[in-house]
Amino acid sequence: MHILSSSATTTFNKSSIMAPALVPFLIIFLNFPVIISTYHTPHLCTDENSLLLIQFRQSFKFNKGASYMCKELDKPSYPKTKSWNRSTDCCMWDGVTCDEVSGEIIGLDLSCSQLQGSINSNSTIFHLSHLQSLDLAHNDFMSSPVHSNFAGFRRLAHLNLSDSVFSGSAPLELSYMLNLVTLDLSLNENITVEPQVFELLLQNLTHLRELSLEACGVNSKLPRNLSASVEILNLASNGLFGDFPGEIFQLPKLQVISLSANRLSGRLLKVNQNISSALHILDLSYNNFSGGELHESVGNLKSFNFLVLKDCNFSGPIPESFGNLTELEGMYLSGNSFTGHLPPSIGNLEQLAVLLLYYNRLEGQLPDSLSNLKSLTNLDIRSNLFNGYFPSTIFNLTKLEHLDFSDNSLKGPLPPNITGLPNLSYLDLSYNSINGTIPS
Ligand SMILES: *[C@@H]1O[C@H](CO)[C@@H](O)[C@H](O)[C@H]1NC(C)=O
Ligand SMILES: *[C@@H]1O[C@H](CO)[C@@H](O)[C@H](O)[C@H]1NC(C)=O
Ligand SMILES: *[C@@H]1O[C@H](CO)[C@@H](O)[C@H](O)[C@H]1NC(C)=O
Ligand SMILES: *[C@@H]1O[C@H](CO)[C@@H](O)[C@H](O)[C@H]1NC(C)=O
Ligand SMILES: *[C@@H]1O[C@H](CO)[C@@H](O)[C@H](O)[C@H]1NC(C)=O
Ligand SMILES: *[C@@H]1O[C@H](CO)[C@@H](O)[C@H](O)[C@H]1NC(C)=O
Ligand SMILES: *[C@@H]1O[C@H](CO)[C@@H](O)[C@H](O)[C@H]1NC(C)=O
Ligand SMILES: *[C@@H]1O[C@H](CO)[C@@H](O)[C@H](O)[C@H]1NC(C)=O
Ligand SMILES: *[C@@H]1O[C@H](CO)[C@@H](O)[C@H](O)[C@H]1NC(C)=O
Ligand SMILES: *[C@@H]1O[C@H](CO)[C@@H](O)[C@H](O)[C@H]1NC(C)=O
Ligand SMILES: *[C@@H]1O[C@H](CO)[C@@H](O)[C@H](O)[C@H]1NC(C)=O
Ligand SMILES: *[C@@H]1O[C@H](CO)[C@@H](O)[C@H](O)[C@H]1NC(C)=O
């Protein structure tokens, strides 16, 4: 699952390739001014480059199934390279971007192109040495290795090999690609990223803004110091183990971290005061903080919009300081062993739309302050030990769509104004001691 959205935009620095290309242009300008008028529709692409692309195309057949995931992601899937025709300028071909001046191919986007076949180390693609952006996501390269040749693209800023059936160890050479801004190797079932390579990717790529190694067979500890340029880090579904390093919260530009479905542990999740104010999404769900607790200092995560701590094996109380996280829109604490009362400070979270507390051991009365959560659309507290009277003020939260109070020990009458929730589509109050009549 990609919970992360790419925020990186492609900005190419043309100055380095512009200078030599200007020379022939100027000569034409000085000697044959008449030609200038036809220069508006230049044939930019060199024969050599169009041949390289056609040869690359020839190493694949088309198979719709190779890009099946695109449909789920609402991305158009079609055989882009089919329309490539050597009688036209390759700079106009679908998926190809050229430098306007030099005519060199600087971008190739063949994501969702239904390509099936292997990429050998002698593939002609590796001759496109001016590439700054290469996107091969969502194809089927039939367990081709990630050749170290990919690291030969010295100017490459964006490399996307997501969900393309690559396999084998990610080469160390990737960590030499110092211009990389985004790197996505995610969702290649049989890729592995060895600990040493993992560490170097995180530490040596000093321009890296987005790294996605979701489901890439990383079995390693998470290093404490990462490149300060990192903004989005998706390391979900790997075998990361050891303590969650709190230093990560201090990375100055980090916005989003997903570490779900790993084997991280730790006694206490502490957050020191120097956390980066850029951070707004943390997903630690499906880890094993067995016996671990949340420290009162989670109240320092003030800039957070989403805190996803589902199925983490946390125990102990939900800290009162949660009430300080006033930017929170989603709080996912389900499937842990939290005990004690739900702190009344929760009522401060006026932006909160989703509050999931199901499968814990929370007890006592639900705080009246819940009725302050005017943005709530989804409230699920099923399977806890909440008791006391059914909180009728819940029915003031008119945005509610999904309400599940089942399997608690709530008692008392069903309030008559239960019908006052215009958007409600799911209501479960079963396994409580609620009485009264259900309005017709
Ligand atoms: C390429 O374009 C030429 C001229 O427009 C056309 O005659 C030819 O059929 C095209 N070839 C393919 C493979 O589409
Ligand atoms: C590229 O290498 C593969 C095997 O690695 C081989 O089968 C193929 O003939 C080579 N192609 C060229 C053009 O050399
Ligand atoms: C890689 O491509 C996929 C599919 O287009 C996209 O969802 C993902 O965000 C891209 N990764 C990066 C780092 O841009
Ligand atoms: C991954 O490797 C396993 C074992 O070699 C194989 O059965 C499976 O088909 C491979 N998966 C892909 C997507 O190639
Ligand atoms: C990260 O820490 C390790 C060990 O503490 C050190 O060897 C390495 O140089 C550090 N890297 C960076 C980028 O700070
Ligand atoms: C990684 O960066 C460190 C510090 O900049 C450097 O000493 C080391 O040689 C680099 N390692 C590799 C494999 O590039
Ligand atoms: C927090 O940051 C301040 C100023 O940036 C610095 O003086 C202080 O030592 C830092 N504290 C910790 C615990 O890192
Ligand atoms: C979780 O951690 C505990 C203690 O470290 C261990 O006993 C247990 O087997 C782990 N559970 C899983 C599912 O890994
Ligand atoms: C929460 O906010 C209150 C009031 O601003 C402050 O006194 C308290 O220290 C904060 N707690 C944490 C853990 O940030
Ligand atoms: C619903 O009823 C309860 C108690 O009867 C009352 O406190 C609350 O204000 C009512 N809400 C609405 C929206 O009428
Ligand atoms: C709930 O709504 C009713 C009617 O709009 C209002 O009178 C009452 O004060 C509200 N209660 C709370 C706790 O907001
Ligand atoms: C509902 O149960 C409460 C005790 O929990 C009782 O006082 C009340 O009379 C009951 N109301 C109805 C309508 O049965």
Side-chain angles (χ1 to χ4, degrees), residues 295-307:
H295 188 254
E296 201 48 42
S297 63
V298 296
N300 288 322
L301 301 173
K302 287 194 174 64
S303 56
F304 273 60
N305 303 119
F306 294 92
L307 193 52

Side-chain angles (χ1 to χ4, degrees), residues 100-112:
E100 280 170 31
V101 177
S102 68
E104 288 297 349
I105 297 170
I106 56 173
L108 190 57
D109 177 359
L110 296 180
S111 59
C112 298

Side-chain angles (χ1 to χ4, degrees), residues 143 165 189-190:
S143 301
V165 201
E189 193 184 330
N190 286 340

Side-chain angles (χ1 to χ4, degrees), residues 402-422:
H402 184 109
L403 190 55
D404 194 338
F405 277 44
S406 63
D407 191 20
N408 279 287
S409 301
L410 299 168
K411 64 178 178 182
L414 195 61
N417 58 13
I418 185 168
T419 54
L421 296 177

Side-chain angles (χ1 to χ4, degrees), residues 371 374 393 396:
S371 61
K374 301 268 189 270
T393 51
N396 275 30

